[in-house]
Amino acid sequence: MTQLVVNQNKFRYTYNPDVETLLKSFANIHEEEGRKQFKSSWLDFINENKTILDEEKQRLEQEGYKNDVYSKMFHTIKYYYVKKNKKNKDNGNTSLYDSPVKDKRTYNKIDKDQLSLIVTFINQDLQEYKNTNNIKPQYSYNRFLEKHSIENSKLQLQIKNSYKTQYYKIKNKTII
């Protein structure tokens, strides 16, 4: 019996947790530096932590990483730890992994009777103007408003949005 060995390509190479905390601390210390100063600090950092970084380099190369490991570390620091941290600070987040809390959007639904009225009107309107190729939903909506007057501006906006949605649903359904 022979066993078939399948080589699986690995696309995500993660750092040892000790190295990752070392890289994060470097990023936190040097995040406000300019580009040239940051690069020179990076070279000093490599020289200071040569043994730990060389062990990590060997480990990643054994896992199959073929590119320059130090370049990978530099780009990881620059993009993930410095730029994203700055971006989060600009958004008001204190942690790297916190995302801004957004208020849940409230949807204003229209009545089922009004929706059925809209759908029947759209179907009739599409039948009536079947031969017109470039009919726009705005024209159809205007004809709807001529027949059905709506006084409340908030309700009118809700109906307008629902009308356009229903119009495209019905139009795409009839074309297919």
Side-chain angles (χ1 to χ4, degrees):
M1 259 191 195
T2 60
Q3 281 187 325
L4 181 64
V5 178
V6 178
N7 283 341
Q8 290 182 332
N9 291 339
K10 188 173 183 179
F11 296 108
R12 183 180 171 96
Y13 297 93
T14 55
Y15 299 115
N16 185 356
D18 297 333
V19 173
E20 191 170 352
T21 55
L22 193 64
L23 295 175
K24 282 182 183 179
S25 66
F26 173 81
N28 287 335
I29 293 169
H30 300 282
E31 74 179 330
E32 298 299 324
E33 293 180 355
R35 186 174 49 105
K36 290 182 179 181
Q37 179 62 37
F38 189 85
K39 201 155 198 164
S40 69
S41 298
W42 169 247
L43 294 173
D44 294 340
F45 176 77
I46 290 174
N47 291 332
E48 291 171 5
N49 299 298
K50 192 77 169 159
T51 55
I52 297 170
L53 296 178
D54 280 340
E55 289 172 6
E56 185 65 15
K57 179 181 177 181
Q58 287 176 350
R59 187 184 71 77
L60 288 174
E61 287 173 346
Q62 285 175 350
E63 287 184 11
Y65 190 74
K66 292 178 177 62
N67 297 330
D68 184 21
V69 175
Y70 293 121
S71 177
K72 174 184 170 45
M73 289 179 186
F74 180 79
H75 290 295
T76 301
I77 289 171
K78 199 72 174 144
Y79 180 73
Y80 290 105
Y81 302 145
V82 174
K83 283 191 177 180
K84 287 204 173 190
N85 201 14
K86 281 183 182 178
K87 188 185 236 185
N88 284 335
K89 283 182 181 176
D90 290 343
N91 290 339
N93 297 337
T94 55
S95 175
L96 178 65
Y97 300 106
D98 284 347
S99 61
V101 177
K102 295 181 180 178
D103 294 334
K104 191 172 182 177
R105 183 176 169 184
T106 58
Y107 291 95
N108 299 322
K109 296 181 179 180
I110 62 170
D111 210 10
K112 287 183 180 182
D113 297 332
Q114 290 173 335
L115 188 63
S116 66
L117 183 69
I118 289 171
V119 169
T120 55
F121 184 84
I122 292 172
N123 284 326
Q124 290 171 357
D125 202 44
L126 286 174
Q127 271 312 99
E128 188 175 327
Y129 294 96
K130 187 188 323 186
N131 297 331
T132 309
N133 290 338
N134 294 331
I135 187 170
K136 293 185 178 178
Q138 185 63 37
Y139 302 151
S140 180
Y141 176 69
N142 288 340
R143 285 191 293 276
F144 176 79
L145 286 181
E146 287 172 6
K147 283 191 175 180
H148 310 282
S149 62
I150 302 165
E151 300 299 323
N152 188 349
S153 62
K154 189 175 181 182
L155 180 64
Q156 190 171 0
L157 183 65
Q158 290 173 347
I159 288 178
K160 181 178 183 179
N161 292 337
S162 296
Y163 191 91
K164 286 184 176 181
T165 303
Q166 292 301 319
Y167 183 87
Y168 282 115
K169 281 183 178 178
I170 292 170
K171 181 133 179 152
N172 290 335
K173 191 176 181 181
T174 56
I175 290 174
I176 296 173

